[in-house]
Amino acid sequence: MRWWYGDAFLQRDFLPSRHAVLQLTAVVGLVGTVVALYAAGTASTALWSAVTVAHVLWCVVGVLIPALALNRARRAAG
């Protein structure tokens, strides 16, 4: 994040936000699940499908939350 958006954005906007916590938790959870399923080697197609659905939902939620927050901020600004 720092190399892309800069230190000020990282410290002031991203880290204190609830959205950042949600995104980081989702990333850790999804990556951990994928690694665990791969390491187990016995994961069924249904489990991989569930992980795929979780990834898609994460992407959708990751777009919707900032869009809704931006819309709310614009309405509040008048």
Side-chain angles (χ1 to χ4, degrees), residues 17-34:
S17 74
R18 289 184 203 156
H19 182 67
V21 172
L22 174 68
Q23 289 290 350
L24 294 174
T25 302
V27 167
V28 169
L30 289 170
V31 168
T33 301
V34 168

PDB file of all heavy atoms in Angstrom, residues 17-34:
ATOM      1  N   SER A  17      -9.520   2.625   9.095  1.00  0.00           N
ATOM      2  CA  SER A  17     -10.878   2.390   8.605  1.00  0.00           C
ATOM      3  C   SER A  17     -11.350   0.970   8.883  1.00  0.00           C
ATOM      4  O   SER A  17     -10.577   0.029   8.921  1.00  0.00           O
ATOM      5  CB  SER A  17     -10.959   2.674   7.107  1.00  0.00           C
ATOM      6  OG  SER A  17     -10.340   1.645   6.377  1.00  0.00           O
ATOM      7  N   ARG A  18     -12.660   0.825   9.049  1.00  0.00           N
ATOM      8  CA  ARG A  18     -13.262  -0.500   9.224  1.00  0.00           C
ATOM      9  C   ARG A  18     -13.148  -1.307   7.943  1.00  0.00           C
ATOM     10  O   ARG A  18     -13.032  -2.526   7.976  1.00  0.00           O
ATOM     11  CB  ARG A  18     -14.732  -0.367   9.601  1.00  0.00           C
ATOM     12  CG  ARG A  18     -14.940   0.158  10.977  1.00  0.00           C
ATOM     13  CD  ARG A  18     -16.411   0.156  11.300  1.00  0.00           C
ATOM     14  NE  ARG A  18     -16.659   1.123  12.354  1.00  0.00           N
ATOM     15  CZ  ARG A  18     -17.801   1.694  12.562  1.00  0.00           C
ATOM     16  NH1 ARG A  18     -18.836   1.402  11.802  1.00  0.00           N
ATOM     17  NH2 ARG A  18     -17.955   2.545  13.540  1.00  0.00           N
ATOM     18  N   HIS A  19     -13.217  -0.615   6.825  1.00  0.00           N
ATOM     19  CA  HIS A  19     -13.100  -1.294   5.542  1.00  0.00           C
ATOM     20  C   HIS A  19     -11.740  -1.979   5.406  1.00  0.00           C
ATOM     21  O   HIS A  19     -11.652  -3.095   4.883  1.00  0.00           O
ATOM     22  CB  HIS A  19     -13.317  -0.300   4.397  1.00  0.00           C
ATOM     23  CG  HIS A  19     -13.256  -0.924   3.048  1.00  0.00           C
ATOM     24  ND1 HIS A  19     -14.195  -1.818   2.609  1.00  0.00           N
ATOM     25  CD2 HIS A  19     -12.362  -0.791   2.047  1.00  0.00           C
ATOM     26  CE1 HIS A  19     -13.884  -2.216   1.388  1.00  0.00           C
ATOM     27  NE2 HIS A  19     -12.774  -1.597   1.020  1.00  0.00           N
ATOM     28  N   ALA A  20     -10.701  -1.340   5.884  1.00  0.00           N
ATOM     29  CA  ALA A  20      -9.369  -1.938   5.828  1.00  0.00           C
ATOM     30  C   ALA A  20      -9.309  -3.208   6.659  1.00  0.00           C
ATOM     31  O   ALA A  20      -8.755  -4.223   6.227  1.00  0.00           O
ATOM     32  CB  ALA A  20      -8.317  -0.940   6.320  1.00  0.00           C
ATOM     33  N   VAL A  21      -9.904  -3.170   7.836  1.00  0.00           N
ATOM     34  CA  VAL A  21      -9.932  -4.356   8.696  1.00  0.00           C
ATOM     35  C   VAL A  21     -10.686  -5.486   8.000  1.00  0.00           C
ATOM     36  O   VAL A  21     -10.238  -6.637   7.991  1.00  0.00           O
ATOM     37  CB  VAL A  21     -10.569  -4.023  10.062  1.00  0.00           C
ATOM     38  CG1 VAL A  21     -10.779  -5.274  10.889  1.00  0.00           C
ATOM     39  CG2 VAL A  21      -9.707  -3.016  10.814  1.00  0.00           C
ATOM     40  N   LEU A  22     -11.824  -5.158   7.394  1.00  0.00           N
ATOM     41  CA  LEU A  22     -12.602  -6.158   6.666  1.00  0.00           C
ATOM     42  C   LEU A  22     -11.792  -6.754   5.515  1.00  0.00           C
ATOM     43  O   LEU A  22     -11.740  -7.975   5.348  1.00  0.00           O
ATOM     44  CB  LEU A  22     -13.890  -5.528   6.133  1.00  0.00           C
ATOM     45  CG  LEU A  22     -14.735  -6.421   5.230  1.00  0.00           C
ATOM     46  CD1 LEU A  22     -15.332  -7.569   6.034  1.00  0.00           C
ATOM     47  CD2 LEU A  22     -15.820  -5.606   4.573  1.00  0.00           C
ATOM     48  N   GLN A  23     -11.146  -5.905   4.736  1.00  0.00           N
ATOM     49  CA  GLN A  23     -10.371  -6.383   3.597  1.00  0.00           C
ATOM     50  C   GLN A  23      -9.186  -7.251   4.035  1.00  0.00           C
ATOM     51  O   GLN A  23      -8.946  -8.309   3.453  1.00  0.00           O
ATOM     52  CB  GLN A  23      -9.861  -5.199   2.759  1.00  0.00           C
ATOM     53  CG  GLN A  23     -10.921  -4.496   1.996  1.00  0.00           C
ATOM     54  CD  GLN A  23     -11.469  -5.339   0.848  1.00  0.00           C
ATOM     55  OE1 GLN A  23     -10.949  -6.380   0.492  1.00  0.00           O
ATOM     56  NE2 GLN A  23     -12.538  -4.867   0.264  1.00  0.00           N
ATOM     57  N   LEU A  24      -8.459  -6.798   5.026  1.00  0.00           N
ATOM     58  CA  LEU A  24      -7.304  -7.565   5.483  1.00  0.00           C
ATOM     59  C   LEU A  24      -7.715  -8.896   6.100  1.00  0.00           C
ATOM     60  O   LEU A  24      -7.059  -9.921   5.896  1.00  0.00           O
ATOM     61  CB  LEU A  24      -6.477  -6.735   6.464  1.00  0.00           C
ATOM     62  CG  LEU A  24      -5.798  -5.508   5.855  1.00  0.00           C
ATOM     63  CD1 LEU A  24      -5.123  -4.684   6.948  1.00  0.00           C
ATOM     64  CD2 LEU A  24      -4.809  -5.902   4.782  1.00  0.00           C
ATOM     65  N   THR A  25      -8.818  -8.897   6.843  1.00  0.00           N
ATOM     66  CA  THR A  25      -9.333 -10.142   7.423  1.00  0.00           C
ATOM     67  C   THR A  25      -9.764 -11.102   6.323  1.00  0.00           C
ATOM     68  O   THR A  25      -9.481 -12.303   6.387  1.00  0.00           O
ATOM     69  CB  THR A  25     -10.514  -9.841   8.363  1.00  0.00           C
ATOM     70  OG1 THR A  25     -10.068  -8.948   9.384  1.00  0.00           O
ATOM     71  CG2 THR A  25     -11.049 -11.104   8.997  1.00  0.00           C
ATOM     72  N   ALA A  26     -10.439 -10.587   5.308  1.00  0.00           N
ATOM     73  CA  ALA A  26     -10.870 -11.430   4.193  1.00  0.00           C
ATOM     74  C   ALA A  26      -9.675 -12.020   3.453  1.00  0.00           C
ATOM     75  O   ALA A  26      -9.672 -13.207   3.112  1.00  0.00           O
ATOM     76  CB  ALA A  26     -11.742 -10.628   3.232  1.00  0.00           C
ATOM     77  N   VAL A  27      -8.666 -11.210   3.208  1.00  0.00           N
ATOM     78  CA  VAL A  27      -7.476 -11.696   2.501  1.00  0.00           C
ATOM     79  C   VAL A  27      -6.804 -12.813   3.291  1.00  0.00           C
ATOM     80  O   VAL A  27      -6.495 -13.878   2.746  1.00  0.00           O
ATOM     81  CB  VAL A  27      -6.479 -10.546   2.240  1.00  0.00           C
ATOM     82  CG1 VAL A  27      -5.131 -11.079   1.799  1.00  0.00           C
ATOM     83  CG2 VAL A  27      -7.040  -9.600   1.206  1.00  0.00           C
ATOM     84  N   VAL A  28      -6.594 -12.594   4.565  1.00  0.00           N
ATOM     85  CA  VAL A  28      -5.933 -13.603   5.398  1.00  0.00           C
ATOM     86  C   VAL A  28      -6.778 -14.879   5.454  1.00  0.00           C
ATOM     87  O   VAL A  28      -6.254 -15.994   5.323  1.00  0.00           O
ATOM     88  CB  VAL A  28      -5.663 -13.051   6.814  1.00  0.00           C
ATOM     89  CG1 VAL A  28      -5.223 -14.146   7.758  1.00  0.00           C
ATOM     90  CG2 VAL A  28      -4.616 -11.949   6.744  1.00  0.00           C
ATOM     91  N   GLY A  29      -8.072 -14.719   5.629  1.00  0.00           N
ATOM     92  CA  GLY A  29      -8.953 -15.889   5.686  1.00  0.00           C
ATOM     93  C   GLY A  29      -8.979 -16.674   4.387  1.00  0.00           C
ATOM     94  O   GLY A  29      -8.881 -17.911   4.386  1.00  0.00           O
ATOM     95  N   LEU A  30      -9.106 -15.971   3.273  1.00  0.00           N
ATOM     96  CA  LEU A  30      -9.172 -16.655   1.983  1.00  0.00           C
ATOM     97  C   LEU A  30      -7.842 -17.309   1.615  1.00  0.00           C
ATOM     98  O   LEU A  30      -7.814 -18.456   1.161  1.00  0.00           O
ATOM     99  CB  LEU A  30      -9.614 -15.683   0.897  1.00  0.00           C
ATOM    100  CG  LEU A  30     -11.082 -15.250   0.979  1.00  0.00           C
ATOM    101  CD1 LEU A  30     -11.347 -14.103   0.012  1.00  0.00           C
ATOM    102  CD2 LEU A  30     -12.008 -16.404   0.699  1.00  0.00           C
ATOM    103  N   VAL A  31      -6.760 -16.599   1.818  1.00  0.00           N
ATOM    104  CA  VAL A  31      -5.446 -17.180   1.494  1.00  0.00           C
ATOM    105  C   VAL A  31      -5.157 -18.371   2.411  1.00  0.00           C
ATOM    106  O   VAL A  31      -4.683 -19.415   1.955  1.00  0.00           O
ATOM    107  CB  VAL A  31      -4.330 -16.111   1.586  1.00  0.00           C
ATOM    108  CG1 VAL A  31      -2.955 -16.753   1.536  1.00  0.00           C
ATOM    109  CG2 VAL A  31      -4.493 -15.100   0.474  1.00  0.00           C
ATOM    110  N   GLY A  32      -5.469 -18.232   3.692  1.00  0.00           N
ATOM    111  CA  GLY A  32      -5.269 -19.341   4.622  1.00  0.00           C
ATOM    112  C   GLY A  32      -6.086 -20.559   4.241  1.00  0.00           C
ATOM    113  O   GLY A  32      -5.598 -21.698   4.319  1.00  0.00           O
ATOM    114  N   THR A  33      -7.311 -20.342   3.809  1.00  0.00           N
ATOM    115  CA  THR A  33      -8.166 -21.454   3.397  1.00  0.00           C
ATOM    116  C   THR A  33      -7.615 -22.141   2.155  1.00  0.00           C
ATOM    117  O   THR A  33      -7.566 -23.375   2.088  1.00  0.00           O
ATOM    118  CB  THR A  33      -9.599 -20.952   3.120  1.00  0.00           C
ATOM    119  OG1 THR A  33     -10.109 -20.356   4.311  1.00  0.00           O
ATOM    120  CG2 THR A  33     -10.507 -22.078   2.687  1.00  0.00           C
ATOM    121  N   VAL A  34      -7.184 -21.353   1.181  1.00  0.00           N
ATOM    122  CA  VAL A  34      -6.625 -21.938  -0.045  1.00  0.00           C
ATOM    123  C   VAL A  34      -5.372 -22.744   0.263  1.00  0.00           C
ATOM    124  O   VAL A  34      -5.213 -23.874  -0.223  1.00  0.00           O
ATOM    125  CB  VAL A  34      -6.335 -20.834  -1.088  1.00  0.00           C
ATOM    126  CG1 VAL A  34      -5.490 -21.355  -2.236  1.00  0.00           C
ATOM    127  CG2 VAL A  34      -7.641 -20.260  -1.608  1.00  0.00           C
TER     128      VAL A  34
END
